[in-house]
Structures are given as C-alpha cells and as structure tokens.
Amino acid sequence: MAGFATSFWSSDYAGGLGVLFGKLQQGVQENQQVLTVARMRAEAEDLYGQSLGSITPAADRISGGFTRDEGASVRKAYEGVRGEMEEASKNHRKIASNIRELVVNPFSRWCEAHALRVQNSQDDLQARIKLHDKQADAVRKFRSQYYNKCRLVEDIEEEDKLAFQDPQSEAAQSPKIKNIPTVKLSEPDEIEEEPIDIGDETYQPDQVKKILTHMLENIKIGDAKVPILGTYQNVSTGADITGYIQKHMNASSVSYAERIGQDMVSNGFLRLVGNVGSTFANSTRMNYQWRPKVFQITGTPEKKKPLERVSSTMSSDSVDSPVGAVGEYLAGWNPLNNPYPNETPAEKLRREAREADERYKASVRKLDSLRCNLEEAMVDHLKFMERCELDRLKAIKSVILDFSGAISNVIPSLQSTVDNMMLFQETVQPLGDLRYLLENYRTGQFVPKVQTYENYYNQVDEQTFGVDLEARARSDRKRVPIIVTTILTFLDNHYPHLEGDEARRGIWLVDVPLAATHHLRAAIDTGKSIPHEVLEKYEVPVVASALKLYLLELPDSLVSSHVYEIVKTIYSTTATDASEDTRISVIQSTLGQLRLANIATLDAITTHFTRLIELTSADEPFISALAQTLAQCILRPRQESSLTMNERYAYRLIRDLFAHKDAIFGELKRASSLTHSASGAGRPRAISTDESNRRAHMEERNRAIASRSRASSPAPSPRTHRRDRSSGGPETRFPISTTSPTERRGQGPTRHSLEVPGSAEASPVVDGHAPPKMGSGANGSADDAAGVVGVAGQRFMPSVPRKHAASLGLGPGKRDSSGSLQEEARPMGVELTDRPMDD
C-alpha cells in the first residue's frame, strides 16, 4: 500500500501538503467530537444519578405514611423500590466516574499532544516552503539580471564593431558617389526598471511611485539657506522624514527609520545639503533636498525659483542645483576606494556580467540545496504524520472499547446497548480508513522538480541531474548519458559480491533514505564523468537509488509523456481485442517515435533488468514489485491528476518490456538501421566545425571514394570492423571476465551476464579483415549484434534480408556455404568510432 511519503506531492509542494494537513486537522476535530460525546455522556450519567439520589430524601420529608406502619407488606415493597432507586443512583454515578477516568481524562491529554504534533509539523514545513519559494524568486531575479547584463555586453560588442568602420575610405574610392546617406542609430530602449530595496522590503517601480507621491504630499518641504552656496529649494529635515517613515512605513525603531532614509539617499531620491558626505540622520539640523528624479517619477511639478547667491563672486546663471556639477563631482570622486580605476565601459559591463553569472549560479545552488532539504524534511514529516494518523485511528478504536466497557461493567440491563457499541468498535478498521484517505485525497507521487542553471549560451557542462536527457548525452558525446552507463556498470561489478540472489534483487526494492541519496547526488552532480572511487564510498542500494532519482528528476520521463495517451490506448483497446503480437508491434512503433537517446537509454536499462531477472531466477512477486517501482521512472503523464494516479499503464508497459525485450528493441534497431542507410544516401551531411576527429573523417571519405572506384572488387576494406555473434556459455553464475580483450578466446568476446551494452571493455569488436557473420549467435544475441544504436554511440550494420538488399544499395550478391548473403559491390559494416555528434 502506498504511504504518505509517496502520495502527497505536487509541483509547488504546498498543494499536496495542504490537502494532507487539511485531512489531519479534520482528524483533530474528529477527536474533539469523540471527546465531547464521552464528556457529555459522563455529565448526563452524573446528573441522572444525582436526580435518582434526590428521590429518597424527598419522599422521607413527608411525615407519617410508611414510617408508622412498620410491619405492613406494603412498606417492604416501598423500601425495596426506594433501595433500587439509591442503587441505580450509585450505578449511574459510577458510570460517570468510570467514563471520566478511562476515557475523558487520558484521551483529552492525548488529543492535545496529537494536535500539537500536527501543528508543529505543519509550521515547520510551511516555513521551509516559504524559504524555498523566496529563494526561487531570488533565482528568477538573478537570472533576469544576468540575462540583461549579457544582452548589454552583446550590444556594446556590436557597437564596437560598427564604431571602427571608416565610411570615408569607401567614399574616396568611389568618386561617383557624391552624397552618402547617413544612418543615425536610435538610442537603445530604456532597460526595464528593476525592483528597489528599501529597508528590509523590495518595492516594484509602481509601489515606489506611490510612496514618493505620498511623501511629497505629507512631508514638509521648504527652502534651506546655506552660507556662500546659496538657497536650496525642495528641502526637508531629517526629523520630518524620519517621523513620516515611522508613521506610514511601519518602522519599529528610529534606527530602522534611519536605515530606510539611508536607502533613499543611496537610490538617488535624497541628497544631503550643507554638509559633506551622504549620511542620513534623524536631526532637525540635517537638511535633505529632493532630487529632480523624484519629481520625474511622481509627475509632480518641481518648485523652482531664481537662484539667490550670497557671494557676488559666484556665477549668476540660474541652474537647478546650487552646487551644480562641482558638488556632484566631489560627492562621487573617491579615487582611493575605486577598485577598477582604469576600467573601460566595455570591460565594466563584462565584469558585471561575470559577477551576475556567479550570483545566478550561487543562487541556483542554494535553491537546489534548499529543495533537497525540503524534500528530506517532507519525507520525514510525512512518514511521521502517517504513524500519527494511524495511532489516532487506533486511539479512537480504543476509546470506543473503553467507553463501552465503562458502561457494561456496571449496568447489565444495558447489555443490548453495549453489544451494539461493541459491534460499532469492531467495524472500525484503521488500515482501511488510512487506505481510504490515500485513495481519495492523494495529490501525486514523488517527482521532484529541479531548478537547473540555465546558461545563457545553452551549456550543460556543470550539472547532470535535471538536465534534458538528449542534452546530457550530447554533452557527454555518447548516445546514453555517462551517469547511466557508469551506475549500471558499477552494479554489474558488485552483484557477484552480494550474498545470494535475494540480496541482489533487494537493492532495487529497499527503501533508501532520501538524505543518503541526495548526499550521493551532490557528489556526482558535476556534469563530468563519475570516478568509481566516489561510488565505492556508498552502499549498493544508495547507488541504485541515485539512478532512480536521476530518472525522476528528468524534465520529461524516459518514455516521453507525449506518447502517454498512445500507451494508454494500447492497453485500453488492444489488450482484449488484439493478439499479443499485435500489441508488441504497436509498442514498437510507439517507442520508435522517441529520440535515439531515449531509446538507447531505455534499451540499456531494460537489458540490465532482464539479465538480473534471468540470472537470479526472480519470481513473479519480485518482477511485479520491480515494475511498480520503476513505473514513475520510465513513463509519467504530462499532467498528473486523480485519474492518472490510479492508472497502471506504465506498469504494464514495463512488464511487456521485460517479457518481450528482444522482440521490441531488435525490431527498433533494424528499423533504425534501415532509416540510417536511407537517410545517409539521400541527405547531405551537415558541416561540422569540430576538428578533433578530422583525420578519421578524411579516412572515411577516402574509403568511400575508393569503394566507388572498385565497385566490382570482392576484397573487403582493410579498415572495416565487424561484430561477431556471442559464443560460449557462462562458466559461473555471474561470469565477469577479469582478462584483457586480447586474451579472450574465439573471434568474438563473450558478453558478460550483467554488463552495460557499449562499455569499453565489453564491446564485442574484433579485427575487421573478414566479412561479418550473419544469423543468430550462440547466446541468442543476434538482435544485439544487429543494433544500430549502442549505449556508447556506436553504430552496427545488421544482417539484411535478400529482399531488402537492392533497396539498401548492396548490389548483386551471392550466398556462401552457410546460406548467408555475401556482398560483392561493397563490404558490409561500418567503422566503430566514437565521434562528436555534429548533426
């Protein structure tokens, strides 16, 4: 049964937790309802007992009556009835006492502790989510700044290119041109205004405009006369500004108000006059002039009047500022504190772009760390809340049992009521109620959303997790990402060291703590090859869990979500209406729509698990559990909903991949071979700018030219390689060869039992001086030998039926003694080289 830790996830984290804690708070209210019922029942029983006890004194207060008739039989009957009343009063009071001691008092204390546990978990997770969201906003802000700086760098580089062109030289060379039209470049558009930090808050431009407008309307503005310099207009004192900040901007102290005023000075809204420096202080002697920038932002007309000078030696020209450019120059001139004195504007922009890039990278790393910590805390809290909810349901069951016992032990006459209450408590099923909650209120399985670092130049060299599969494979220059092949190879090498098949199978089903998986993830999330020494530090289940986490953090599932509806249609319609061969054929065509990197990675993973199942003789429960574990890693819907959470199409697809792996991927490889042959003949190769393999490319071109000139020569090309079928059987349960490739007997090396296809040591490549053998190998690996897309990016030429020989351009052929079609025009097979993917 699925648990809380795998059922209440959403893209923003808060949605799933909101649903869960809504149900948990509902459980707290249910506890109060049960407690209220028990408390009021105790009060009713106590009140009823007191009422029964007041009957006898009320009857005795009547004088005469039965007190005079001591021997009458009627008196005995009366005394018997009166005694029953007293006994009934004692019984009901005892019931009230038992309910309070057994139910009300202990259950009320437990309810308070349970409500406190739920509230603490909710507060802790909400604080973490708020911190994560705040960091996500900071990442978006730094990303915007980084992109703007990069655009400015590009603009200034383009301007530099245009600035050094000499149009006069062209005019001198062409005397016919008299008037050369000039083109005036328009000023670049104003960069969008960025948010402004004032105090501890960040304000948008429209908010800043409202605040400044309100300040100009409510703060006293006048003139300030300064000796020698003259009179300043639009001046307010520091005390008036501080008072406004405390009253209207919720400043808790004078120091905080002065910090807000200092930020206004730093952002160019105020300027200190009559003193040296730019410090803001809460003083009536400190005067601050509102800069023209404030009036431009708010649209308020600036109050100006002719400048009155005290000294006749100063200029009589009327300017906006009494100190003019001299004051501005003196305020900004500080050569001792300038770390870049000889920096040009272009160098300054490039430096700022680099600094913005570093800030963006650091913020992305911090966001990723916060996300990992949040997910770890969520897993821990969800597991703890699951135990708390189960304990609550068990506690309610125990309360009902104690409640019924408190009544049944005192009043036998209420046995029927007690029996009904016992029946009610028998109907309470804690596990069933928990399953009902999960089935009806779950919001999604654990699929982490990674905020990756988006390089402006589309480079993914510094990160592995969360990067698109094809982009990661392209950066690794492999068809399958290096992280997948490295982890699968590591597991292949460690399977023989585990004790028993049960331990080998169990590494994929064990529940690994998310913190351990994140620790390994942080160590290998570098975008580079993974040293085996790093993986050796961790236990084998943690390494397997890291591979599952990598597949979960892909932007799209391994089998793309675009074909989810097709897979759904396959298992909704063809499961009953068509045969198994038809279903497999449709699956083949559906998987053929995927990118080659996805197909190759899926082939490598499926091959690994089919070998594990075969060599460990796995039973049906393990295969079913394994398929259920890998379902979210292999295929996910584009948008998870309440309908898709209960669908099992991904599970059924994995079961078909396990059962028909050779048929599905063998056909995909043959189809890919035909496609590559046809496309290679009709489409010109894209021009590559990579010179790392230029020699290999030139050799291939020369061989192609030589093959055309010697079309009738039966001799094979001296540089062709071939792939022989596997020969020989395994000598042990996990036959991992420890010898070098040159020491293996036979022309084709024996494939390891659990090796990753395409690994450097296990690639079945031999000297290519003989034509390749056709047909199935000894171990049934003909489909593997026919594959075009390998794990490491190699291409293999499959065996081609006679009827397709003409369409592939093989020319007329002949059959040898074994019945295989031999080529006369050109030798079959291509060179196995690991080239950069130019196209």
Side-chain angles (χ1 to χ4, degrees), residues 364-375:
V364 169
R365 295 191 191 100
K366 183 178 180 181
L367 176 61
D368 192 68
S369 176
L370 291 176
R371 180 188 63 82
C372 292
N373 294 334
L374 172 60
E375 291 175 353

Side-chain angles (χ1 to χ4, degrees), residues 272-288:
L272 177 64
V273 297
N275 291 279
V276 178
S278 60
T279 304
F280 183 88
N282 177 27
S283 174
T284 56
R285 297 184 178 182
M286 304 289 283
N287 295 316
Y288 297 89

Side-chain angles (χ1 to χ4, degrees), residues 17 87 104 106 110 127 146 263 269 313 322 331 642 710 719 746 810:
L17 292 179
E87 190 67 21
V104 176
W110 188 91
Y146 165 54
D263 290 341
F269 300 137
T313 59
S642 58
R710 297 191 304 270
R719 292 185 180 271
L810 298 180

Side-chain angles (χ1 to χ4, degrees), residues 735-812:
I736 296 180
S737 176
T738 58
T739 60
S740 62
T742 58
E743 296 174 356
R744 300 173 185 169
R745 63 183 186 87
Q747 296 183 353
T750 303
R751 175 179 293 227
H752 295 335
S753 60
L754 294 176
E755 70 185 8
V756 180
S759 59
E761 295 81 1
S763 298
V765 180
V766 296
D767 189 13
H769 294 288
K773 297 180 181 180
M774 302 296 175
S776 171
N779 291 334
S781 58
D783 290 339
D784 295 337
V788 172
V789 183
V791 172
Q794 294 92 343
R795 299 180 177 178
F796 309 117
M797 177 64 71
S799 59
V800 182
R802 183 180 182 87
K803 62 181 180 179
H804 295 304
S807 62
L808 295 179
L810 298 180

Side-chain angles (χ1 to χ4, degrees), residues 385-399:
M385 286 295 100
E386 183 177 0
R387 294 196 300 271
C388 292
E389 183 64 10
L390 187 60
D391 291 342
R392 184 188 73 85
L393 297 173
K394 292 180 179 179
I396 291 180
K397 181 176 181 178
S398 178
V399 163

Side-chain angles (χ1 to χ4, degrees), residues 468-647:
D468 181 70
L469 184 70
E470 188 174 17
R472 183 67 266 161
R474 187 184 302 112
S475 178
D476 293 340
R477 310 176 73 85
K478 303 291 183 182
R479 188 61 72 189
V480 175
I482 290 179
I483 182 175
V484 178
T485 58
T486 303
I487 291 180
L488 292 181
T489 305
F490 174 83
L491 295 176
D492 283 339
N493 296 333
H494 282 73
Y495 281 137
H497 303 295
L498 300 177
E499 298 181 359
D501 293 341
E502 190 68 26
R504 298 183 182 101
R505 294 192 298 263
I507 66 172
W508 292 101
L509 302 182
V510 67
D511 186 11
V512 179
L514 189 59
T517 307
H518 278 160
H519 192 275
L520 175 57
R521 176 189 182 275
I524 63 179
D525 189 16
T526 59
K528 301 177 178 59
S529 299
I530 304 173
H532 286 277
E533 294 78 9
V534 176
L535 299 181
E536 292 290 348
K537 300 178 183 179
Y538 298 88
E539 298 180 358
V540 178
V542 177
V543 179
S545 178
L547 178 58
K548 292 188 287 186
L549 181 64
Y550 170 76
L551 296 177
L552 286 176
E553 291 189 357
L554 289 176
D556 194 6
S557 55
L558 189 55
V559 177
S560 176
S561 59
H562 296 285
V563 301
Y564 182 84
E565 292 298 328
I566 301 177
V567 175
K568 178 179 179 180
T569 305
I570 292 173
Y571 291 105
S572 299
T573 58
T574 63
T576 57
D577 300 339
S579 62
E580 184 176 277
D581 295 337
T582 304
R583 186 176 77 252
I584 298 304
S585 176
V586 177
I587 293 175
Q588 290 171 354
S589 62
T590 301
L591 295 181
Q593 302 176 20
L594 303 179
R595 300 175 297 186
L596 294 182
N598 294 58
I599 297 176
T601 306
L602 181 62
D603 184 17
I605 294 175
T606 306
T607 302
H608 180 88
F609 286 115
T610 51
R611 291 196 199 129
L612 177 64
I613 292 171
E614 179 182 358
L615 295 175
T616 59
S617 302
D619 52 2
E620 178 62 25
F622 169 75
I623 299 176
S624 178
L626 179 63
Q628 188 65 36
T629 302
L630 298 176
Q632 283 293 109
C633 302
I634 301 300
L635 175 61
R636 298 187 294 271
R638 183 178 305 175
Q639 185 69 32
E640 193 166 17
S641 63
S642 58
L643 297 178
T644 59
M645 283 188 293
N646 296 322
E647 294 176 346

